[in-house]
Amino acid sequence: MTQTAFLNARLIDPEADRVVEGAAVLVADGVIREIFAEAAALERQLAAEGAGGPRAELIRVDCGGKCLAPGIVDIGVKVGEPGERHKESYGTAGAAAAAGGVTTIVTRPDTQPCIDTPESLDYIRRRAVDEAPVHVLPMAALTKGRDGREMTELGFLMDAGAVAFTDCDRVVRDTKVLSRALTYARSLGALVIGHPQEPGLSAGAAATSGKFASLRGLPAVSPMAERMGLDRDIALVEMTGVRYHADQITTVRALPALERAKANGFDVTAGTSMHHLTLNEMDLADYRTFFKVTPPLRSEDDRKAVVEALRTGLIDIVGSFHTPQDEESKRLPFEEAASGAVGLETMLPVLLRLYHADELSLPCLFRALALNPAKRLGLGAGRMAAGAPADLVLFDPDKPVVLDRFALRSKSRNTPFDNARLQGKVLGTWVSGTRVFEA
């Protein structure tokens, strides 16, 4: 047995909402064995164990006062397999995740073909085990082909390993089909992830409606489309009692509906994206297609409201919504270009902007990045406690970095943060106690 001792760490504990300076963590058999308030206490215990006879091999990691936190659990990652391996493979996505402090990726089913059968799910699970150095948990489609006409074999897909069901950004228009799928999911205890948008209003939109979109001549969608989509989904949650997660809440108009749903005791959680927390519609000014995401970037007022909702806990989870696109898909006129940006490797340093701006504390940030997504999926990860999985990230929150997209490990490099000056760098990542990345 090998043990790893992390010494002199600035421990980020999202569950206890605290930061412990000079702490130490002892890891053995892939789990956190014990946490010490000071490194000297760990040294004394190791010395006592050594005096009792032969002991396990010990690896010492001097954290040098840098931050040690639970590994990130990223819900909503797209990998190109099957069908678009030229955009991303499990090997490159796993390497990017490890370099970004992401220890668990929860993959989307919007592949070509989509993941809507137990056979296709089993294929990608085996590929992930063979190729990725991090944990990979697959989601499956809610309806066959994500066409919104017929539900998938939810029970068989759960047996094959699906952790949640979603049609991603292809909203189910037929409420009868959706209600039947939600009712069946409720009977299985399955988690359904929805994309709150009114599909008619949002079709073809590349920006958020308002003066800026009009000046730029971009097809736009009202923020009310998100509110209307969320209202419908919450009504169906009330009707069926299903476990429901809204993937991206990005506008202030949707927050009152979310607040009411939680106050009424519905089993509802909500997420948002790294891009909607750190960018706004003004970033589209030069028609740079790397800033084209779904839903489109919102106003600065919306961005601030979403950050505040995350701080108060109204919004539970933050994801990268990693969507690799090749150069040919992005080097097009803005309206025609594919949506999406990569984010596995860039999410932590980008979100540390909010910490340095005193908008979010580090425990609050890791509650949304690690603890809450793990809890929503029923995982033991995301905690700094004895017995928790030793999925850990060591990072320097103050290290200045100029992001170079060509240095990213992803096959696709469509990031809006190319050449951005960031503050924060991942130094090491451990999955089940094994180091999978070293800066």
Side-chain angles (χ1 to χ4, degrees):
M1 183 181 72
T2 300
Q3 296 187 112
T4 302
F6 295 88
L7 306 167
N8 306 313
R10 185 183 177 195
L11 195 72
I12 312 301
D13 187 344
E15 196 169 30
D17 193 26
R18 62 176 182 169
V19 177
V20 182
E21 304 285 350
V25 178
L26 182 62
V27 167
D29 291 332
V31 300
I32 297 173
R33 178 177 156 190
E34 198 168 349
I35 294 177
F36 302 84
E38 55 182 20
L42 173 56
E43 294 286 10
R44 287 194 295 270
Q45 177 163 314
L46 292 173
E49 290 178 356
R55 69 180 184 191
E57 178 188 353
L58 180 69
I59 299 173
R60 292 175 181 269
V61 178
D62 185 355
C63 299
K66 303 301 187 268
C67 294
L68 185 68
I72 296 168
V73 179
D74 193 2
I75 298 179
V77 173
K78 181 172 181 178
V79 180
E81 298 187 53
E84 295 179 302
R85 198 170 185 274
H86 64 287
K87 293 184 179 181
E88 194 76 287
S89 68
Y90 278 100
T92 55
V102 179
T103 53
T104 301
I105 59 176
V106 184
T107 58
R108 305 199 312 249
D110 54 340
T111 50
Q112 295 183 0
C114 76
I115 308 302
D116 60 0
T117 65
E119 293 78 14
S120 58
L121 188 73
D122 182 63
Y123 166 77
I124 65 165
R125 285 194 68 193
R126 286 186 283 108
R127 285 288 301 162
V129 168
D130 290 341
E131 299 292 331
V134 301
H135 303 300
V136 178
L137 303 177
M139 296 189 287
L142 184 66
T143 65
K144 292 182 179 179
R146 298 195 302 129
D147 290 334
R149 292 195 294 265
E150 183 182 358
M151 79 173 83
T152 55
E153 297 171 327
L154 304 185
F156 290 148
L157 285 162
M158 285 186 73
D159 291 343
V163 296
F165 297 91
T166 178
D167 278 353
C168 304
D169 60 357
R170 193 176 293 177
V171 178
V172 179
R173 293 171 178 262
D174 190 324
T175 52
K176 182 167 285 188
V177 170
L178 182 56
S179 66
R180 287 172 176 166
L182 297 185
T183 300
Y184 190 45
R186 168 67 179 85
S187 71
L188 298 170
L191 176 65
V192 173
I193 298 182
H195 182 69
Q197 286 292 316
E198 202 294 312
L201 281 176
S202 57
T208 299
S209 60
K211 182 178 179 180
F212 183 80
S214 298
L215 289 172
R216 287 289 177 268
L218 295 172
V221 58
S222 168
M224 285 302 294
E226 184 173 298
R227 159 77 178 278
M228 293 165 68
L230 184 62
D231 280 337
R232 183 195 74 154
D233 286 2
I234 289 172
L236 290 171
V237 170
E238 182 177 5
M239 184 174 79
T240 63
V242 73
R243 298 171 59 221
Y244 175 85
H245 175 74
D247 65 351
Q248 294 187 69
I249 299 298
T250 63
T251 175
V252 67
R253 299 289 184 88
L255 296 177
L258 177 61
E259 190 170 16
R260 286 194 300 271
K262 290 192 169 189
N264 287 333
F266 302 154
D267 194 350
V268 170
T269 53
T272 192
S273 84
M274 57 180 279
H275 304 107
H276 292 92
L277 288 169
T278 57
L279 303 170
N280 64 34
E281 61 186 354
M282 299 298 183
D283 290 300
L284 306 180
D286 295 329
Y287 300 100
R288 291 181 60 195
T289 56
F290 284 0
F291 287 88
K292 185 179 180 182
V293 295
T294 301
L297 295 176
R298 306 302 194 183
S299 70
E300 178 63 7
D301 288 341
D302 282 326
R303 188 197 71 80
K304 288 181 178 179
V306 171
V307 171
E308 178 62 14
L310 183 65
R311 188 190 67 79
T312 62
L314 180 58
I315 290 177
D316 308 270
I317 293 170
V318 177
S320 70
F321 290 88
H322 180 85
T323 306
Q325 302 286 5
D326 54 24
E327 298 287 324
E328 291 77 9
S329 301
K330 281 291 190 181
R331 300 295 185 188
L332 294 170
F334 198 91
E335 294 177 38
E336 301 172 22
S339 291
V342 295
L344 282 169
E345 196 170 343
T346 60
M347 179 161 58
L348 182 55
V350 166
L351 290 175
L352 284 172
R353 285 179 167 182
L354 303 176
Y355 162 69
H356 291 297
D358 292 326
E359 293 181 290
L360 296 176
S361 68
L362 287 174
C364 178
L365 189 58
F366 274 88
R367 232 180 352 262
L369 288 172
L371 178 63
N372 287 346
K375 287 170 65 175
R376 194 55 169 146
L377 295 170
L379 309 176
R383 300 180 299 124
M384 294 296 287
D391 298 339
L392 303 169
V393 54
L394 178 67
F395 66 98
D396 182 350
D398 301 314
K399 176 72 173 178
V401 176
V402 177
L403 185 67
D404 177 6
R405 74 185 186 98
F406 295 104
L408 297 178
R409 289 158 179 80
S410 173
K411 278 189 178 181
S412 298
R413 297 178 171 89
N414 51 307
T415 173
F417 298 102
D418 188 31
N419 292 320
R421 297 181 183 274
L422 303 174
Q423 201 170 351
K425 182 177 178 61
V426 173
L427 304 176
T429 305
W430 287 260
V431 173
S432 298
T434 299
R435 190 163 196 161
V436 295
F437 173 74
E438 182 173 3

